[in-house]
Amino acid sequence: MAARHSVTLLITAGSRQMVDIVARRIHASQFTGVAPFVGLKAGSFPPDAEQLRTHLVKQLHAAAGGSLLIRDVEEMSSAAQLTFARILSERSLGHPAAVRLIAGTTISLLERVNAGYFLEELFYRLNLIHLVIAPDETPTDADRPSRRKWASITA
C-alpha cells in the first residue's frame, strides 16, 4: 500500500539494517529501472542552517524520480529539525513531488516529541504513513513477511 504513493513514510524498526531493508523494498516495489535511491545519515548533517538547507535541497533533487531515505532521523540536531521542517513545508524550495521521502529510526519519535527532544511539526510531517516493524523481525523475515508479524501501519 505505502509503495504506490509518493507520501512521506516513517519506518520504526529494531535495527538500522531493518530500516534499510524495508526502505529499499518499498523503493523497489514502487520504482523500476534506474530510479535513484539516496540514503543520508541524519547525524552527519552540517551544523550550519544554510549549509544544511543547501545539502538537503541538493539531495532531494538527486533523489528526484526515486526515494530519499534519511536514516537515524532521531539524531538530527534541533537546528537541523527546524530547517528540514521548513523545507518540507515549502515544497517549492526543493521537495520534488516525485520523491518518496522515507525517514528511518530505531526509537519512538513520539516519545522524543513528548520529552521535548524532537520537533513536533517535523514529526507530523514525517509521520504520514508509519510502519512499525516488530522487534523480533530479522532481515530474512522481511523477505517473507507475514500479515501477523510484518508491521503495524497507521496513516
Side-chain angles (χ1 to χ4, degrees), residues 91-127:
R91 291 185 173 267
S92 62
L93 291 179
H95 183 232
V99 172
R100 152 82 66 198
L101 179 61
I102 304 170
T105 183
T106 57
I107 64 170
S108 169
L109 284 186
L110 185 56
E111 288 178 12
R112 300 276 296 180
V113 167
N114 292 336
Y117 296 114
F118 200 82
L119 185 64
E120 184 175 21
E121 177 187 352
L122 180 57
F123 172 72
Y124 286 111
R125 291 193 182 280
L126 297 175
N127 193 37

Side-chain angles (χ1 to χ4, degrees), residues 110-149:
L110 185 56
E111 288 178 12
R112 300 276 296 180
V113 167
N114 292 336
Y117 296 114
F118 200 82
L119 185 64
E120 184 175 21
E121 177 187 352
L122 180 57
F123 172 72
Y124 286 111
R125 291 193 182 280
L126 297 175
N127 193 37
L128 296 180
I129 295 179
H130 190 181
L131 297 176
V132 180
I133 310 302
D136 59 340
E137 292 278 348
T138 62
T140 49
D141 291 335
D143 293 333
R144 296 179 307 278
S146 69
R147 289 186 186 260
R148 181 181 59 80
K149 284 178 60 178

Side-chain angles (χ1 to χ4, degrees), residues 1-2 5 8 16 25 32-33 45 52 57-58 61 67 76 82 84-85 87 102 109-110 132 134 142 148 151:
M1 174 182 107
H5 306 286
T8 302
R16 289 175 179 96
R25 293 211 179 270
T32 58
F45 286 164
L52 174 62
V57 168
K58 181 179 176 183
H61 284 289
S67 301
M76 277 188 189
L82 185 58
F84 194 46
I87 289 171
I102 304 170
L109 284 186
L110 185 56
V132 180
R148 181 181 59 80

